[in-house]
């Protein structure tokens, strides 16, 4: 099935007309403000976190969100909500999911929510919603999107197994990431790399590649090229390194 088209940050309203699928008579359509009550009921059933009313207003009306519903006989039985984030605007705990050498224009997809009514689970609803999202984010239009990631409770084994079957991989352990009903809960970050994306790779040549890209893309080109100069000096014969207090000083030796 071809994915539903979603126009990020578009001012046009998403169509609410169902698109019939060939999977157990399910239908897919984008969420609209009239769905707030049904979405609230579904999320209250599926998640221990209580979202404010403003969150439901945002995901059902703001076009920056990819908010897709699966319907059966006119009833919403599953949703997926995601958005595109710029790499430079990621929070600190999420910054290392993607290599900075991919460039300042790099984006990532973040899954805020994936929920399925308990009576419809194990019927391919979650797979249909997630596959449609991945199909959208791997089109040429979203070639700058290099990864799709999400956070999940460490105790949510069913969700973890599902994402792992979809080739998401554990990236980070997040201690005390959630605060639920007065208690701190641990979380995981799971990531699926797409469109040539990859995690940071430690190493000398990765740093060179990142620096050269900065020189090409950023306004701090002079600084970047100066850094390259010092890196290449590091490689020259007659250059030695002195490590002091976990920092590295370069000392040039001349014959």
């Amino acid at each position: 099935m071809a994915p539903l088209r979603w126009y990020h940050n578009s001012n046009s309203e998403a169509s609410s007309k169902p698109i019939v699928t060939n999977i157990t008579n399910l239908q897919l359509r984008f969420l609209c403000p009239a769905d707030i009550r049904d979405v609230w009921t579904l999320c209250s059933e599926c998640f221990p976190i209580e979202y404010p009313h403003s969150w439901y207003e945002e995901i059902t009306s703001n076009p920056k969100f990819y908010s897709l519903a699966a319907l059966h006989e006119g009833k919403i039985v599953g949703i997926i909500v995601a958005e595109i984030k710029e790499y430079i605007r990621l929070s600190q705990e999420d910054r290392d999911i993607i290599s900075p050498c991919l460039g300042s224009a790099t984006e990532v997809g973040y899954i805020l929510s994936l929920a399925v009514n308990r009576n419809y689970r194990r019927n391919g609803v979650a797979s249909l919603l997630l596959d449609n999202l991945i199909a959208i984010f791997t089109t040429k239009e979203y070639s700058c999107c290099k990864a799709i990631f999400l956070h999940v409770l460490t105790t949510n084994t069913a969700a973890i197994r599902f994402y792992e079957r979809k080739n998401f991989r554990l990236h980070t352990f997040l201690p005390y990431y959630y605060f639920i009903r007065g208690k701190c809960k641990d979380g995981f970050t799971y990531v699926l790399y797409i469109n040539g994306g990859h995690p940071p790779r430690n190493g000398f040549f990765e740093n060179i590649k990142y620096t050269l890209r900065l020189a090409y893309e950023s306004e701090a080109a002079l600084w970047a090229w100066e850094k390259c100069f010092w890196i290449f000096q590091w490689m020259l014969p007659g250059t030695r390194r002195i490590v002091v207090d976990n920092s590295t000083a370069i000392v040039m030796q001349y014959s």
Side-chain angles (χ1 to χ4, degrees):
M1 183 191 72
L4 276 72
R5 303 306 300 160
W6 170 60
Y7 300 97
H8 175 48
N9 282 336
S10 168
N11 291 323
S12 61
E13 296 183 0
S15 172
S16 61
K17 182 179 180 180
I19 297 181
V20 179
T21 74
N22 57 2
I23 302 178
T24 62
N25 296 320
L26 289 175
Q27 300 172 322
L28 293 181
R29 67 162 171 83
F30 293 108
L31 292 176
C32 63
D35 296 321
I36 289 180
R37 182 66 185 179
D38 291 337
V39 175
W40 177 85
T41 300
L42 178 63
C43 290
S44 298
E45 172 195 296
C46 295
F47 303 126
I49 300 173
E50 294 183 4
Y51 296 105
H53 184 74
S54 58
W55 185 80
Y56 294 100
E57 291 179 330
E58 280 283 292
I59 66 170
T60 56
S61 60
N62 192 329
K64 81 172 186 176
F65 292 107
Y66 174 91
S67 300
L68 191 65
L71 292 85
H72 183 256
E73 297 181 351
K75 175 185 177 182
I76 294 178
V77 298
I79 63 165
I80 189 168
V81 180
E83 66 175 311
I84 295 287
K85 289 176 170 280
E86 295 178 348
Y87 167 77
I88 59 175
R89 297 185 183 277
L90 290 176
S91 60
Q92 191 61 43
E93 67 266 18
D94 296 325
R95 187 67 62 86
D96 67 344
I97 67 171
I98 201 78
S99 174
C101 80
L102 294 170
S104 59
T106 299
E107 298 175 329
V108 296
Y110 175 55
I111 298 176
L112 289 78
S113 180
L114 175 56
V116 177
N117 183 298
R118 63 168 57 93
N119 295 323
Y120 288 84
R121 292 172 188 170
R122 301 184 182 277
N123 284 290
V125 178
S127 290
L128 180 63
L129 291 166
L130 182 60
D131 291 348
N132 202 280
L133 172 71
I134 295 172
I136 285 289
F137 286 178
T138 51
T139 59
K140 185 177 181 180
E141 184 178 357
Y142 295 97
S143 59
C144 288
C145 183
K146 302 300 182 181
I148 303 172
F149 77 103
L150 59 103
H151 300 125
V152 60
L153 280 163
T154 58
T155 53
N156 193 347
T157 55
I160 290 170
R161 286 196 295 266
F162 168 74
Y163 285 115
E164 288 180 345
R165 288 196 301 270
K166 293 295 183 179
N167 297 317
F168 283 74
R169 293 294 175 259
L170 175 63
H171 180 74
T172 309
F173 170 64
L174 303 170
Y176 309 121
Y177 183 77
Y178 296 97
F179 188 74
I180 302 173
R181 296 169 184 167
K183 295 183 179 180
C184 293
K185 303 289 185 179
D186 299 333
F188 289 135
T189 301
Y190 269 78
V191 184
L192 173 69
Y193 293 99
I194 59 175
N195 301 327
H198 58 80
R201 296 167 181 165
N202 295 325
F204 179 75
F205 290 102
E206 178 81 357
N207 290 331
I208 289 180
K209 184 178 180 182
Y210 174 50
T211 303
L212 290 173
R213 184 178 287 274
L214 278 179
Y216 179 76
E217 292 184 350
S218 73
E219 296 179 357
L222 178 61
W223 171 86
W225 282 114
E226 286 177 350
K227 186 175 180 181
C228 283
F229 173 76
W230 285 106
I231 288 176
F232 286 119
Q233 279 191 331
W234 182 294
M235 299 173 64
L236 291 174
T239 301
R240 63 187 176 90
R241 290 171 288 179
I242 299 177
V243 179
V244 181
D245 296 332
N246 295 322
S247 62
T248 302
I250 300 179
V251 179
M252 302 301 297
Q253 294 180 325
Y254 299 95
S255 56

